[in-house]
Amino acid sequence: MCIRDRYIKNGRIAGVALDVFKKESTESPIFSLDERFTVLTPHIGASTADAQQEAGLTIARDIVRFFEGRDVEYPVNLPHVDADTLKRLKPYISLAIDIGRVLTQLSSGVSSIDVGFGGELIDMKGRDLITRNLLASILSEYTSNVNQVNSLYVAKRKGISVREYNLGSIPYKNMIDVAIVDSAGKRVTAKGVLIDGREKIVELNGLYADFEPKGKLLLFEGEDKFGVIGKFGTVLAKNRINIAEMHHSRRKKGETTLVSSRVDQKITKKII
């Protein structure tokens, strides 16, 4: 006696509906009911006229979303996440993309990429999408036609090592920690967080930072001595560059300092 018959006989199961068979029969009726309270139907649910029409409309809607720059509901070759999860992921995806953009300006290439996740990101569903978009952001600086779908493949094809890991205890609710190493062994790092929905870089190359990775940014490391900040502001003022935000930090007195500044006008190579 099969499990189906056993549980129907003792009343634990009222009936069974099956539409998958070892060998699909083309001669079976569309519906049949046997004496063991079993409904048997051919596996053609997606082949009905209504189903085919809805599938076509779904594809058309996603094509429209894509060309309007919106997220598609059913992307091909990507992990599927529900709408609520995607809504939670999107701010972190944006943060990862911006971290990638900052680091590529400080690196001359890439041979390996490490990305660490902390806080609520450790157990977040669909986290793979963050990594994919981070890689696309970094690799697009050095090669063309890279996106979240193929970024992992492109990295593998180019021999770029990619490692994900979980961070330990952190002083924030969330964190993305990224490190890029180029072919010469130079390492650049950045730690980013979301605070009240706003992106923040809180560490750059081991130095404390406090800036939003958006807009026109000027970043430089300097000497911890008098006159550096004044000269910096004077050069910008002479070229009619207005400073919107500015942050200056150091590990210890006399060591290397980090200056991050957001400006309103474009800074040319001549000014730098």
Side-chain angles (χ1 to χ4, degrees):
M1 179 183 293
C2 69
I3 294 176
R4 177 195 65 177
D5 292 337
R6 182 192 311 163
Y7 286 105
I8 287 178
K9 188 174 182 179
N10 65 21
R12 293 186 64 179
I13 297 178
V16 177
L18 303 173
D19 70 345
V20 178
F21 309 92
K22 185 175 182 180
K23 182 179 180 181
E24 194 77 45
S25 174
T26 58
E27 299 178 357
S28 300
I30 295 179
F31 295 99
S32 67
L33 179 64
D34 67 13
E35 68 281 2
R36 292 166 294 183
F37 301 96
T38 304
V39 177
L40 306 174
T41 65
H43 195 65
I44 60 168
S47 299
T48 64
D50 287 345
Q52 289 293 302
Q53 180 179 354
E54 183 58 33
L57 290 173
T58 298
I59 293 171
R61 293 188 193 104
D62 267 358
I63 291 174
V64 171
R65 288 191 184 99
F66 175 81
F67 283 106
E68 288 180 348
R70 296 185 289 150
D71 294 314
V72 298
E73 190 173 358
Y74 300 102
V76 179
N77 297 330
L78 274 180
H80 178 69
V81 294
D82 58 77
D84 290 338
T85 300
L86 183 59
K87 185 177 180 179
R88 290 185 64 200
L89 283 170
K90 285 182 72 174
Y92 293 111
I93 289 174
S94 176
L95 173 61
I97 290 172
D98 289 335
I99 291 175
R101 287 172 177 165
V102 169
L103 288 181
T104 55
Q105 300 304 307
L106 306 176
S107 175
S108 57
V110 56
S111 64
S112 70
I113 301 170
D114 290 346
V115 51
F117 296 99
E120 65 181 10
L121 287 169
I122 290 178
D123 298 316
M124 184 170 287
K125 180 182 177 182
R127 196 178 74 176
D128 180 62
L129 290 175
I130 301 176
T131 301
R132 287 172 176 266
N133 280 276
L134 169 68
L135 293 181
S137 173
I138 295 171
L139 297 176
S140 61
E141 186 71 19
Y142 310 106
T143 188
S144 58
N145 300 319
V146 187
N147 52 55
Q148 62 175 337
V149 174
N150 66 8
S151 58
L152 286 169
Y153 169 75
V154 172
K156 183 178 180 180
R157 188 185 66 190
K158 290 183 172 295
I160 298 171
S161 168
V162 178
R163 181 175 72 99
E164 285 184 327
Y165 65 97
N166 292 332
L167 300 170
S169 177
I170 59 173
Y172 300 94
K173 292 182 178 180
N174 56 76
M175 178 175 284
I176 300 176
D177 185 354
V178 183
I180 297 177
V181 178
D182 65 17
S183 56
K186 179 185 176 183
R187 181 182 177 90
V188 292
T189 64
K191 295 179 180 180
V193 300
L194 284 180
I195 300 177
D196 296 329
R198 186 180 180 186
E199 297 179 15
K200 282 281 188 179
I201 301 296
V202 295
E203 187 178 298
L204 190 66
N205 287 338
L207 293 170
Y208 173 69
D210 184 15
F211 65 91
E212 186 178 2
K214 301 284 188 182
K216 302 178 181 68
L217 292 173
L218 181 59
L219 307 170
F220 75 89
E221 294 180 356
E223 297 180 41
D224 184 24
K225 63 181 184 180
F226 61 87
V228 173
I229 300 301
K231 186 175 182 180
F232 171 75
T234 300
V235 171
L236 293 184
K238 284 183 177 180
N239 288 276
R240 304 187 66 80
I241 303 294
N242 185 58
I243 298 175
E245 296 178 15
M246 188 172 178
H247 181 264
H248 176 260
S249 66
R250 66 184 183 185
R251 289 193 191 95
K252 294 180 180 179
K253 183 178 179 180
E255 292 188 352
T256 301
T257 64
L258 172 68
V259 176
S260 58
S261 178
R262 184 189 316 282
V263 297
D264 293 330
Q265 290 77 28
K266 182 178 179 179
I267 298 179
T268 64
K269 289 184 178 180
K270 182 179 179 181
I271 296 174
I272 293 175

